[in-house]
Amino acid sequence: MVLNPVISKLVGKLVVLASASPRRQDILRNAGLRFEVVPSWFKETLDKALFKAPYEYAVETAKQKALEVARRMPFKHLKTPDMVIGADTIVSVDGLILEKPTDKNDAYRMLSSLSGKEHSVFTGVAIVLCHEKDDEVDYQLIDFYEETKVKFADLSEDMLWEYINSGEPMDKAGGYGIQALGGMLVEYVHGDFLNVVGFPLNHFCKQLGVIYNNLPSSDQKSSSIVLSHHNQVTTTVIPQVLTGDPSVSPLASPAHKVKRKSDQKDMHETSQQMTNSLSKHGESQGSEYMALQNITSRGRSVSVSENTEPKKGDLQRIITLMDGFRSSKALFTASKMGVFDLLQKSPGLNASQVAAEIKASVKGTRCLLEACVSLGLVTTCEKSHQKPVYKNSTLAAQFLGSDSPFSLHGYIMHTDNAVWPLFSHLENAVREGTNQHEQAFGKKAQDLFQDSYYDSQALKLRFMSAMHSIAKVTGKAVATAFDLSAYKTACDLGGCTGAIAYELTKVNPQMSVIVFDLAPVVEMREKFQPQHMDTERVSFMAGDFFKDDLPKADLYVLARILHDWSDEKVDILLKKIADNCNPGCGILLSEIFLNEDRSAPSRGLLQALSMSPGRQRSAQEYCLLLERHGFTVKDFKYTDNLLDAMLCLKI
Ligand code: SAM
């Protein structure tokens, strides 16, 4: 058996599977491999349109997952693994990539597209080998993929829904699990069955044989030519980056010498070096290193000739980007002029009636209404011989009225008044690297918050309404991201209107929360008090979290706080919290967590263009800051809402 001699070479080594899939774990465990499971934080959001073939997407995702864990392990676990295995399974049919269904309707859409047809299942696998040398780590990356063809029987509606209602499709690529009930849908399989389950064991063993026994690779399918053509692996030297000062962080061990003051900076340098180093390899070794360049191709210009037809959808993507500001401003203006509030109260008005109510020209109002129709915010119906009438779409009814259940009205007003002017000076901001407050508003910004609070009551209210609207929309996702039933007292630092605190007490009947915020904010709390709920377990305390003593609590909430501040300020705040905490106390951190490789469009990165003093960070970067103060990450979630969440414990 190919694997046995390889397995003996892995004894005593730290092998890590960067996947939470129980099926992958079973396959590898059954093969006798001993490994730890560290699920990757890499968000599976690579743009599929950028890949020529579906397997390239699977391989790239597998690489990103494995590399993310390989880079994170030394920080989080203080151990450099010997090998990290990443994998990603996708189903491809009719040129489309199917991943896990998001809900039952999505599962239905996927399964009905597979009915009666042959499709391909691709698993991309990445093996990252890490070698510690003095203060450095060598990373070696090998990747490959396996394709299996599967044919589904013709599926009746009843069969489809019975299968969907079994719940099995939900966490599986393509919406089926061949090893269980889904096996009944399959007419034939050509190729490796385990590949369809989630891991191509046979191909993996052959690759291990190549790595550890110097066996020649006969692998024609490997997308990483690194191994299959050369019988050698690519080596990238990356300086080891370590966690903080041992005097501050009880996590630091003598085995991991502390190198420097600013971990954050080094981490950026490290990933940059990794990028550069990998790119250099790519250039020196020619086309054989294409797979590596996929991750790190920033050093090369892309050449496109006039004869290259743009990919389907690419032109539309660019136009959507070019026109984005028009859409935003139409939304802001309709909100500001009260169009959505009016149509909520009086649906079915025509353009002249709307114009009269909002005190605007009929021509202008009609243009605005029609633009809103095209954006899906307003719907229209044209009765014969009558003028078209308008009403809110479901989207507008849900989010855009000032009293909508998930009203973003406050945030929209703030964005229009306080952010739009800054963005109209973006070129200057980029040239100078500074916030353009003075150019936009005619006076220097003193302090991000004090400015909003002391200028006028109206400004303060506008800022608080903006914070409140986002917190109300995202509060439930944050409050329910983790089991917090062990915490009896919480303190929401910079908790503003208390919106998240109220959500926390709703889902945690044992918990009481102190909202700690600056005095001018606390003064206005009553304006935002929820109507139909018991508010006794939420109290407010005025103070400055940089200067004043913090209330004692077993859970500290930091929602949208740390991104406003530099690393130095964050250190001051985290140290104060750490000094107040006993072992077992927690921090519930909620922010937009940047994608490690910045691959997907990110609200965080776009917000950073305001050039405020703070900085947007990835989950790993937050994790580093927290570990410096003796906190370890217990759990972490991309919520798919506006804010992500991380639960950390004091050790
Ligand atoms: N946590 C809230 C949320 O997610 O909706 C509000 C976030 S808002 C971006 C930042 C909050 O921190 C504001 O309410 C602000 O007043 C508060 N804040 C800023 N500096 C503060 C300080 N030095 N002490 C206490 N609170 C502060």
Side-chain angles (χ1 to χ4, degrees), residues 449 453 463 467 471 492-496 500 516-518 521 543-546 559-561 563-565 643:
F449 297 100
Y453 298 158
F463 177 80
M467 295 303 109
D492 188 355
L493 292 167
C496 203
I500 290 183
F516 186 90
D517 210 304
L518 297 167
V521 169
D544 181 326
F545 50 51
F546 290 119
R560 284 189 294 168
I561 301 300
H563 76 268
D564 279 327
W565 306 103
L643 297 176

Side-chain angles (χ1 to χ4, degrees), residues 596-642:
E596 268 333 309
D597 67 345
R598 318 306 193 230
S599 57
S602 161
R603 292 189 66 242
L605 291 177
L606 294 174
Q607 283 180 13
L609 289 171
S610 297
M611 311 273 168
S612 308
R615 150 172 136 61
Q616 302 284 338
R617 302 171 177 93
S618 67
Q620 190 177 353
E621 288 167 318
Y622 281 116
C623 170
L624 264 177
L625 286 169
L626 284 150
E627 286 186 345
R628 294 214 281 241
H629 298 280
F631 291 94
T632 183
V633 178
K634 169 133 193 291
D635 208 348
F636 159 88
K637 243 186 207 160
Y638 289 115
T639 66
D640 282 336
N641 202 299
L642 294 167

